[in-house]
Amino acid sequence: KQEVTQIPAALSVPEGENLVLNCSFTDSAIYNLQWFRQDPGKGLTSLLLIQSSQREQTSGRLNASLDKSSGRSTLYIAASQPGDSATYLCAVSRGNQGGKLIFGQGTELSVKP
Amino acid sequence: KAGVTQTPRYLIKTRGQQVTLSCSPISGHRSVSWYQQTPGQGLQFLFEYFSETQRNKGNFPGRFSGRQFSNSRSEMNVSTLELGDSALYLCASSLGHSNQPQHFGDGTRLSIL
């Protein structure tokens, strides 16, 4: 049974700091991994999707990496801003179950001005 | 391009009642997935519909059911409501291929009294 873990559960950093969020999964037979952010009272916003054959994806100040063999992914946020404050979730899917995502519990990020 | 639309945004019901939630996907998306989000269990997959057929199913009791119409809009029904069904119900749509990201609506907040 696939399990996804995110550590830490909460993180507080000063504005401008670079930071890394971690995601680990127990079954390496994934098809892709997706990172989302969720603002309070809102749905999820897709940030990055990494296919199992890829090692990383970048979008603006965000960079996500994937190491299937070790069951790990990281989300790197450069030059953090107060607007980055949100809960960040990672989710994995298997190839034959495209619509079924298995989520971690999330990391609640607070960026202080 | 309009995003995923979920209605209603908020619902209050009492135990034993039933409820129907609606989800309109992004235009052109054929896959609709439903998730339940609670503070204790996090995000859990309910089911996925693709071209009007249920393609994947999570581990929820039969009180939770869904359907998809020919225009890809989807409804989720919960019968005989229990206090534990109080949650944020999120719908996500995608093109339906496993290498495509899922896009989420803002959810329906269901409260059971």
Side-chain angles (χ1 to χ4, degrees), chain B residues 19-65:
Chain B
V19 67
T20 300
L21 312 181
S22 179
C23 173
S24 294
I26 291 172
S27 178
H29 285 190
R30 295 166 64 190
S31 167
V32 174
S33 298
W34 289 89
Y35 295 83
Q36 180 195 66
Q37 186 175 31
T38 59
Q41 298 297 317
L43 273 153
Q44 293 185 285
F45 172 77
L46 282 154
F47 32 67
E48 179 203 10
Y49 285 86
F50 180 80
S51 294
E52 302 180 64
T53 301
Q54 188 178 86
R55 185 161 73 171
N56 288 292
K57 188 177 186 305
N59 297 321
F60 278 79
R63 300 185 298 107
F64 292 82
S65 63

Side-chain angles (χ1 to χ4, degrees), chain A residues 31-32 34 36 38 41-46 49 51 89 93-105, chain B residues 9 31 33 35 37 39-43 45 48 55-58 88 90 98-106:
Chain A
Y31 194 82
N32 63 44
Q34 200 166 349
F36 298 88
Q38 184 174 31
K42 295 288 191 178
L44 279 64
T45 300
S46 178
L49 182 147
Q51 305 291 348
L89 296 131
S93 74
R94 293 175 65 94
N96 61 350
Q97 299 182 40
K100 179 178 180 179
L101 293 178
I102 299 172
F103 283 86
Q105 293 283 57
Chain B
R9 289 295 315 278
S31 167
S33 298
Y35 295 83
Q37 186 175 31
Q41 298 297 317
L43 273 153
F45 172 77
E48 179 203 10
R55 185 161 73 171
N56 288 292
K57 188 177 186 305
L88 179 66
L90 293 164
S98 296
N99 61 354
Q100 296 294 321
Q102 292 195 26
H103 300 273
F104 283 75
D106 281 341

Side-chain angles (χ1 to χ4, degrees), chain A residues 12-90:
Chain A
S12 182
V13 301
E15 181 178 3
E17 195 163 293
N18 302 325
L19 59 101
V20 174
L21 306 180
N22 297 294
C23 172
S24 61
F25 45 94
T26 55
D27 185 350
S28 62
I30 65 169
Y31 194 82
N32 63 44
L33 184 145
Q34 200 166 349
W35 282 93
F36 298 88
R37 70 174 277 170
Q38 184 174 31
D39 295 284
K42 295 288 191 178
L44 279 64
T45 300
S46 178
L47 298 173
L48 290 165
L49 182 147
I50 313 177
Q51 305 291 348
S52 62
S53 58
Q54 298 173 320
R55 293 296 298 240
E56 64 180 286
Q57 281 285 342
T58 298
S59 176
R61 295 183 294 108
L62 306 179
N63 175 277
S65 68
L66 175 64
D67 184 343
K68 270 186 57 177
S69 60
S70 67
R72 293 174 187 264
S73 175
T74 61
L75 179 67
Y76 175 83
I77 302 177
S80 59
Q81 304 169 358
D84 294 330
S85 298
T87 296
Y88 290 80
L89 296 131
C90 70

